[in-house]
Amino acid sequence: MKFVIGLAILLAIGSCASFLEEQQPMENKIYKIKLERTEFQAKKSLFDFITTSQQYRNSEDFLDGSDLAMTQTKQKESIKLYNFKNTQYTGEIGLGGQDNKFKVIFDTGSANIWLNSARCNDYGCKNHKQYDGSKSSTYEHLGYDLDVEFGTGELMGEINADTAYVGGVKIAKQEFAEIVRENGDVFAQSDFDGIVGLAYPSMAAYNFNPLFDNIMSQKLLDRNVFSFYFSRQEGSRSSELTFGGWDTDHFQGELHFHNVVNKYYWLLEADNILVNGQDLGLCKHGCKVVADTGTSLLTGPSDDLYDLLDTLNIDENCKNARDLPKLTFVLDGINYDLDANDYVMKIDSQGNEIAYDTFASVDSFVEMGGNCQCVGSFMPLDIPSPQGPAWILGDTFLSKFYSVYDRDNDRVGFARAK
């Protein structure tokens, strides 16, 4: 199975509301970043790393640094994302020079920037593009260590700063973590060079500003909003991250907003989770959900998730694909429906995903021969009390629903993606 899981969710509950969004000002400039859809074989080491809390320690001296030149720009931008077999969406960020680009996952489930350092000689680093601060005139040595230990390895890095470029936006003194040692193969098989966190600053190492918070503090946008459109077309470059607003060409119908109930992750409160309109007790008295672009699948508390899988009863030979029920997340009275073609993956004999919705009909999906199997796009993930439990709305959900992240008003908006 091919999947990517975002960082572990440590959450708190609160109140939320939904309402229709007013039209954004026509004069508001929008920046767009194209995203690429990609796939890789996730290993247990990656799952362990991203579901492990990060522990930080200060380093007295680790690198030599040079002065950082102050820079500034303004307004908004869109980044194109590339999609590779429905699994992950990557875009480009420049660091230390506009042409010094890295392929990254823009992740609303984390807050730090991670890139491989040129000083790292481990295979997971050498197998990707590496950042070299000695070649940047705007590099600044800060000297804060990140040491993340997990069940199958250890990742060691150092936080420093440089000028970042995202689409047409130039961000001065952006803190980021250089990976200097990788024990294990946490990133060895990944198709990306790093991760750019877009969660709240309370989650970031040493309280440094995440990328979007530096954009906010440097007043580079008219509106402190970003949004994601995830195309389901394999190999497509139509997916997009937009800074400064949203693009009405990418969704249809009304855009409904829901208030963030904890300013750490993009945490919302759901009224219920229904299967064919029936309440199965998956969301007793309301439950927490997180909009997480760094997670491919839907995750849920293990007991509830296994109950859901038992109810869905997805036949591994795809024989009941046409009869599978509708799964609905209810937020502030708004129903967000996922059909079988949204939450079922077909896996070939090589372990590669075949997207359900690329077939002409359910029958063609069911009747496809070969050594294939159908699996649900779900993963159990238990978040301990008092922060959990919570469900993660990963790309399985976010590819069906256009998502808007509004830091001016601390809310998340969803609309049916085109």
PDB file of all heavy atoms in Angstrom, residues 22-31 74-77 220-223 243-246:
ATOM      1  N   GLU A  22     -18.110  35.524   2.558  1.00  0.00           N
ATOM      2  CA  GLU A  22     -18.365  36.651   1.672  1.00  0.00           C
ATOM      3  C   GLU A  22     -17.379  36.619   0.520  1.00  0.00           C
ATOM      4  O   GLU A  22     -16.373  35.933   0.579  1.00  0.00           O
ATOM      5  CB  GLU A  22     -18.197  37.963   2.447  1.00  0.00           C
ATOM      6  CG  GLU A  22     -16.760  38.296   2.841  1.00  0.00           C
ATOM      7  CD  GLU A  22     -16.271  37.550   4.059  1.00  0.00           C
ATOM      8  OE1 GLU A  22     -17.060  36.782   4.636  1.00  0.00           O
ATOM      9  OE2 GLU A  22     -15.092  37.721   4.433  1.00  0.00           O
ATOM     10  N   GLN A  23     -17.653  37.322  -0.531  1.00  0.00           N
ATOM     11  CA  GLN A  23     -16.737  37.375  -1.669  1.00  0.00           C
ATOM     12  C   GLN A  23     -15.438  38.071  -1.259  1.00  0.00           C
ATOM     13  O   GLN A  23     -15.458  39.096  -0.593  1.00  0.00           O
ATOM     14  CB  GLN A  23     -17.382  38.144  -2.831  1.00  0.00           C
ATOM     15  CG  GLN A  23     -18.552  37.400  -3.459  1.00  0.00           C
ATOM     16  CD  GLN A  23     -18.080  36.146  -4.172  1.00  0.00           C
ATOM     17  OE1 GLN A  23     -17.039  36.148  -4.820  1.00  0.00           O
ATOM     18  NE2 GLN A  23     -18.838  35.076  -4.043  1.00  0.00           N
ATOM     19  N   GLN A  24     -14.287  37.492  -1.660  1.00  0.00           N
ATOM     20  CA  GLN A  24     -13.028  38.150  -1.369  1.00  0.00           C
ATOM     21  C   GLN A  24     -12.877  39.361  -2.290  1.00  0.00           C
ATOM     22  O   GLN A  24     -13.393  39.370  -3.397  1.00  0.00           O
ATOM     23  CB  GLN A  24     -11.862  37.185  -1.541  1.00  0.00           C
ATOM     24  CG  GLN A  24     -11.774  36.511  -2.887  1.00  0.00           C
ATOM     25  CD  GLN A  24     -10.649  35.515  -2.916  1.00  0.00           C
ATOM     26  OE1 GLN A  24      -9.725  35.578  -2.125  1.00  0.00           O
ATOM     27  NE2 GLN A  24     -10.711  34.590  -3.838  1.00  0.00           N
ATOM     28  N   PRO A  25     -12.219  40.403  -1.818  1.00  0.00           N
ATOM     29  CA  PRO A  25     -12.084  41.624  -2.625  1.00  0.00           C
ATOM     30  C   PRO A  25     -11.460  41.330  -3.984  1.00  0.00           C
ATOM     31  O   PRO A  25     -10.484  40.606  -4.090  1.00  0.00           O
ATOM     32  CB  PRO A  25     -11.165  42.494  -1.768  1.00  0.00           C
ATOM     33  CG  PRO A  25     -11.327  41.997  -0.380  1.00  0.00           C
ATOM     34  CD  PRO A  25     -11.568  40.521  -0.506  1.00  0.00           C
ATOM     35  N   MET A  26     -12.003  41.929  -5.018  1.00  0.00           N
ATOM     36  CA  MET A  26     -11.518  41.666  -6.367  1.00  0.00           C
ATOM     37  C   MET A  26     -10.084  42.159  -6.566  1.00  0.00           C
ATOM     38  O   MET A  26      -9.338  41.607  -7.353  1.00  0.00           O
ATOM     39  CB  MET A  26     -12.448  42.343  -7.383  1.00  0.00           C
ATOM     40  CG  MET A  26     -13.844  41.747  -7.420  1.00  0.00           C
ATOM     41  SD  MET A  26     -13.821  39.992  -7.876  1.00  0.00           S
ATOM     42  CE  MET A  26     -13.250  40.114  -9.558  1.00  0.00           C
ATOM     43  N   GLU A  27      -9.683  43.201  -5.810  1.00  0.00           N
ATOM     44  CA  GLU A  27      -8.343  43.739  -6.007  1.00  0.00           C
ATOM     45  C   GLU A  27      -7.276  42.931  -5.286  1.00  0.00           C
ATOM     46  O   GLU A  27      -6.089  43.179  -5.426  1.00  0.00           O
ATOM     47  CB  GLU A  27      -8.292  45.196  -5.516  1.00  0.00           C
ATOM     48  CG  GLU A  27      -8.441  45.370  -4.008  1.00  0.00           C
ATOM     49  CD  GLU A  27      -9.890  45.402  -3.547  1.00  0.00           C
ATOM     50  OE1 GLU A  27     -10.775  45.117  -4.386  1.00  0.00           O
ATOM     51  OE2 GLU A  27     -10.132  45.719  -2.367  1.00  0.00           O
ATOM     52  N   ASN A  28      -7.691  41.957  -4.491  1.00  0.00           N
ATOM     53  CA  ASN A  28      -6.757  41.160  -3.720  1.00  0.00           C
ATOM     54  C   ASN A  28      -5.889  40.314  -4.648  1.00  0.00           C
ATOM     55  O   ASN A  28      -6.385  39.522  -5.438  1.00  0.00           O
ATOM     56  CB  ASN A  28      -7.537  40.253  -2.772  1.00  0.00           C
ATOM     57  CG  ASN A  28      -6.638  39.538  -1.806  1.00  0.00           C
ATOM     58  OD1 ASN A  28      -5.798  40.160  -1.176  1.00  0.00           O
ATOM     59  ND2 ASN A  28      -6.811  38.244  -1.682  1.00  0.00           N
ATOM     60  N   LYS A  29      -4.580  40.477  -4.571  1.00  0.00           N
ATOM     61  CA  LYS A  29      -3.665  39.730  -5.427  1.00  0.00           C
ATOM     62  C   LYS A  29      -3.430  38.342  -4.868  1.00  0.00           C
ATOM     63  O   LYS A  29      -3.229  38.184  -3.672  1.00  0.00           O
ATOM     64  CB  LYS A  29      -2.337  40.478  -5.567  1.00  0.00           C
ATOM     65  CG  LYS A  29      -1.391  39.841  -6.568  1.00  0.00           C
ATOM     66  CD  LYS A  29      -0.121  40.661  -6.708  1.00  0.00           C
ATOM     67  CE  LYS A  29       0.832  40.002  -7.690  1.00  0.00           C
ATOM     68  NZ  LYS A  29       2.103  40.727  -7.798  1.00  0.00           N
ATOM     69  N   ILE A  30      -3.456  37.348  -5.739  1.00  0.00           N
ATOM     70  CA  ILE A  30      -3.320  35.954  -5.322  1.00  0.00           C
ATOM     71  C   ILE A  30      -2.069  35.359  -5.959  1.00  0.00           C
ATOM     72  O   ILE A  30      -1.805  35.549  -7.143  1.00  0.00           O
ATOM     73  CB  ILE A  30      -4.565  35.143  -5.711  1.00  0.00           C
ATOM     74  CG1 ILE A  30      -5.769  35.614  -4.901  1.00  0.00           C
ATOM     75  CG2 ILE A  30      -4.339  33.656  -5.506  1.00  0.00           C
ATOM     76  CD1 ILE A  30      -7.054  34.903  -5.257  1.00  0.00           C
ATOM     77  N   TYR A  31      -1.294  34.618  -5.167  1.00  0.00           N
ATOM     78  CA  TYR A  31      -0.100  33.937  -5.645  1.00  0.00           C
ATOM     79  C   TYR A  31      -0.379  32.438  -5.700  1.00  0.00           C
ATOM     80  O   TYR A  31      -0.897  31.867  -4.738  1.00  0.00           O
ATOM     81  CB  TYR A  31       1.089  34.197  -4.713  1.00  0.00           C
ATOM     82  CG  TYR A  31       1.511  35.646  -4.645  1.00  0.00           C
ATOM     83  CD1 TYR A  31       0.860  36.538  -3.811  1.00  0.00           C
ATOM     84  CD2 TYR A  31       2.564  36.117  -5.426  1.00  0.00           C
ATOM     85  CE1 TYR A  31       1.239  37.866  -3.745  1.00  0.00           C
ATOM     86  CE2 TYR A  31       2.962  37.441  -5.368  1.00  0.00           C
ATOM     87  CZ  TYR A  31       2.287  38.310  -4.521  1.00  0.00           C
ATOM     88  OH  TYR A  31       2.668  39.625  -4.465  1.00  0.00           O
ATOM     89  N   LYS A  74       5.728  41.629  -1.479  1.00  0.00           N
ATOM     90  CA  LYS A  74       4.379  41.753  -0.964  1.00  0.00           C
ATOM     91  C   LYS A  74       3.322  41.092  -1.825  1.00  0.00           C
ATOM     92  O   LYS A  74       3.589  40.615  -2.898  1.00  0.00           O
ATOM     93  CB  LYS A  74       4.053  43.215  -0.670  1.00  0.00           C
ATOM     94  CG  LYS A  74       3.722  44.119  -1.767  1.00  0.00           C
ATOM     95  CD  LYS A  74       3.319  45.482  -1.205  1.00  0.00           C
ATOM     96  CE  LYS A  74       1.995  45.414  -0.523  1.00  0.00           C
ATOM     97  NZ  LYS A  74       1.706  46.442   0.419  1.00  0.00           N
ATOM     98  N   GLN A  75       2.149  40.991  -1.235  1.00  0.00           N
ATOM     99  CA  GLN A  75       0.894  40.465  -1.781  1.00  0.00           C
ATOM    100  C   GLN A  75       0.764  38.933  -1.723  1.00  0.00           C
ATOM    101  O   GLN A  75       1.031  38.355  -0.704  1.00  0.00           O
ATOM    102  CB  GLN A  75       0.608  41.002  -3.180  1.00  0.00           C
ATOM    103  CG  GLN A  75       0.680  42.515  -3.369  1.00  0.00           C
ATOM    104  CD  GLN A  75       0.003  43.301  -2.279  1.00  0.00           C
ATOM    105  OE1 GLN A  75      -0.937  42.854  -1.679  1.00  0.00           O
ATOM    106  NE2 GLN A  75       0.472  44.488  -1.991  1.00  0.00           N
ATOM    107  N   LYS A  76       0.376  38.215  -2.814  1.00  0.00           N
ATOM    108  CA  LYS A  76      -0.009  36.811  -2.730  1.00  0.00           C
ATOM    109  C   LYS A  76       0.395  35.964  -3.931  1.00  0.00           C
ATOM    110  O   LYS A  76       0.640  36.466  -4.991  1.00  0.00           O
ATOM    111  CB  LYS A  76      -1.526  36.710  -2.565  1.00  0.00           C
ATOM    112  CG  LYS A  76      -2.021  37.343  -1.319  1.00  0.00           C
ATOM    113  CD  LYS A  76      -3.479  37.067  -1.088  1.00  0.00           C
ATOM    114  CE  LYS A  76      -4.321  37.484  -2.236  1.00  0.00           C
ATOM    115  NZ  LYS A  76      -5.721  37.336  -2.018  1.00  0.00           N
ATOM    116  N   GLU A  77       0.390  34.614  -3.753  1.00  0.00           N
ATOM    117  CA  GLU A  77       0.976  33.760  -4.797  1.00  0.00           C
ATOM    118  C   GLU A  77       0.360  32.359  -4.779  1.00  0.00           C
ATOM    119  O   GLU A  77      -0.096  31.888  -3.760  1.00  0.00           O
ATOM    120  CB  GLU A  77       2.473  33.647  -4.539  1.00  0.00           C
ATOM    121  CG  GLU A  77       3.199  32.726  -5.475  1.00  0.00           C
ATOM    122  CD  GLU A  77       3.469  33.336  -6.820  1.00  0.00           C
ATOM    123  OE1 GLU A  77       3.326  34.556  -6.989  1.00  0.00           O
ATOM    124  OE2 GLU A  77       3.805  32.569  -7.725  1.00  0.00           O
ATOM    125  N   LEU A 220       3.347  40.402   3.822  1.00  0.00           N
ATOM    126  CA  LEU A 220       3.558  40.137   2.410  1.00  0.00           C
ATOM    127  C   LEU A 220       2.264  39.856   1.647  1.00  0.00           C
ATOM    128  O   LEU A 220       2.272  39.789   0.422  1.00  0.00           O
ATOM    129  CB  LEU A 220       4.518  38.952   2.239  1.00  0.00           C
ATOM    130  CG  LEU A 220       5.885  39.114   2.930  1.00  0.00           C
ATOM    131  CD1 LEU A 220       6.742  37.890   2.686  1.00  0.00           C
ATOM    132  CD2 LEU A 220       6.589  40.377   2.456  1.00  0.00           C
ATOM    133  N   LEU A 221       1.164  39.676   2.368  1.00  0.00           N
ATOM    134  CA  LEU A 221      -0.120  39.375   1.741  1.00  0.00           C
ATOM    135  C   LEU A 221      -1.164  40.399   2.150  1.00  0.00           C
ATOM    136  O   LEU A 221      -1.109  40.965   3.238  1.00  0.00           O
ATOM    137  CB  LEU A 221      -0.605  37.978   2.143  1.00  0.00           C
ATOM    138  CG  LEU A 221       0.305  36.791   1.823  1.00  0.00           C
ATOM    139  CD1 LEU A 221      -0.324  35.502   2.350  1.00  0.00           C
ATOM    140  CD2 LEU A 221       0.565  36.684   0.334  1.00  0.00           C
ATOM    141  N   ASP A 222      -2.152  40.596   1.289  1.00  0.00           N
ATOM    142  CA  ASP A 222      -3.285  41.439   1.645  1.00  0.00           C
ATOM    143  C   ASP A 222      -4.181  40.729   2.657  1.00  0.00           C
ATOM    144  O   ASP A 222      -4.738  41.354   3.556  1.00  0.00           O
ATOM    145  CB  ASP A 222      -4.113  41.784   0.404  1.00  0.00           C
ATOM    146  CG  ASP A 222      -3.335  42.656  -0.571  1.00  0.00           C
ATOM    147  OD1 ASP A 222      -2.503  43.447  -0.108  1.00  0.00           O
ATOM    148  OD2 ASP A 222      -3.563  42.527  -1.785  1.00  0.00           O
ATOM    149  N   ARG A 223      -4.324  39.413   2.472  1.00  0.00           N
ATOM    150  CA  ARG A 223      -5.117  38.601   3.398  1.00  0.00           C
ATOM    151  C   ARG A 223      -4.288  37.395   3.795  1.00  0.00           C
ATOM    152  O   ARG A 223      -3.666  36.749   2.955  1.00  0.00           O
ATOM    153  CB  ARG A 223      -6.425  38.138   2.744  1.00  0.00           C
ATOM    154  CG  ARG A 223      -7.310  39.272   2.246  1.00  0.00           C
ATOM    155  CD  ARG A 223      -8.607  38.740   1.678  1.00  0.00           C
ATOM    156  NE  ARG A 223      -9.478  38.239   2.732  1.00  0.00           N
ATOM    157  CZ  ARG A 223     -10.627  37.593   2.494  1.00  0.00           C
ATOM    158  NH1 ARG A 223     -11.003  37.342   1.254  1.00  0.00           N
ATOM    159  NH2 ARG A 223     -11.383  37.192   3.486  1.00  0.00           N
ATOM    160  N   PHE A 243      -1.668  31.308  -2.079  1.00  0.00           N
ATOM    161  CA  PHE A 243      -1.422  32.205  -0.955  1.00  0.00           C
ATOM    162  C   PHE A 243      -2.196  33.499  -1.168  1.00  0.00           C
ATOM    163  O   PHE A 243      -2.170  34.080  -2.253  1.00  0.00           O
ATOM    164  CB  PHE A 243       0.066  32.529  -0.829  1.00  0.00           C
ATOM    165  CG  PHE A 243       0.887  31.452  -0.174  1.00  0.00           C
ATOM    166  CD1 PHE A 243       2.268  31.471  -0.255  1.00  0.00           C
ATOM    167  CD2 PHE A 243       0.286  30.425   0.528  1.00  0.00           C
ATOM    168  CE1 PHE A 243       3.037  30.486   0.343  1.00  0.00           C
ATOM    169  CE2 PHE A 243       1.040  29.436   1.133  1.00  0.00           C
ATOM    170  CZ  PHE A 243       2.414  29.474   1.043  1.00  0.00           C
ATOM    171  N   GLY A 244      -2.871  33.964  -0.126  1.00  0.00           N
ATOM    172  CA  GLY A 244      -3.542  35.256  -0.154  1.00  0.00           C
ATOM    173  C   GLY A 244      -5.027  35.187  -0.432  1.00  0.00           C
ATOM    174  O   GLY A 244      -5.689  36.231  -0.492  1.00  0.00           O
ATOM    175  N   GLY A 245      -5.583  34.004  -0.589  1.00  0.00           N
ATOM    176  CA  GLY A 245      -7.009  33.887  -0.858  1.00  0.00           C
ATOM    177  C   GLY A 245      -7.343  32.511  -1.375  1.00  0.00           C
ATOM    178  O   GLY A 245      -6.735  31.519  -0.987  1.00  0.00           O
ATOM    179  N   TRP A 246      -8.335  32.445  -2.283  1.00  0.00           N
ATOM    180  CA  TRP A 246      -8.735  31.175  -2.867  1.00  0.00           C
ATOM    181  C   TRP A 246      -9.150  31.409  -4.309  1.00  0.00           C
ATOM    182  O   TRP A 246      -9.377  32.528  -4.744  1.00  0.00           O
ATOM    183  CB  TRP A 246      -9.865  30.531  -2.061  1.00  0.00           C
ATOM    184  CG  TRP A 246     -11.059  31.423  -1.846  1.00  0.00           C
ATOM    185  CD1 TRP A 246     -12.152  31.561  -2.658  1.00  0.00           C
ATOM    186  CD2 TRP A 246     -11.273  32.285  -0.731  1.00  0.00           C
ATOM    187  NE1 TRP A 246     -13.032  32.467  -2.120  1.00  0.00           N
ATOM    188  CE2 TRP A 246     -12.528  32.926  -0.925  1.00  0.00           C
ATOM    189  CE3 TRP A 246     -10.545  32.592   0.426  1.00  0.00           C
ATOM    190  CZ2 TRP A 246     -13.048  33.849  -0.025  1.00  0.00           C
ATOM    191  CZ3 TRP A 246     -11.072  33.504   1.326  1.00  0.00           C
ATOM    192  CH2 TRP A 246     -12.310  34.118   1.103  1.00  0.00           C
TER     193      TRP A 246
END
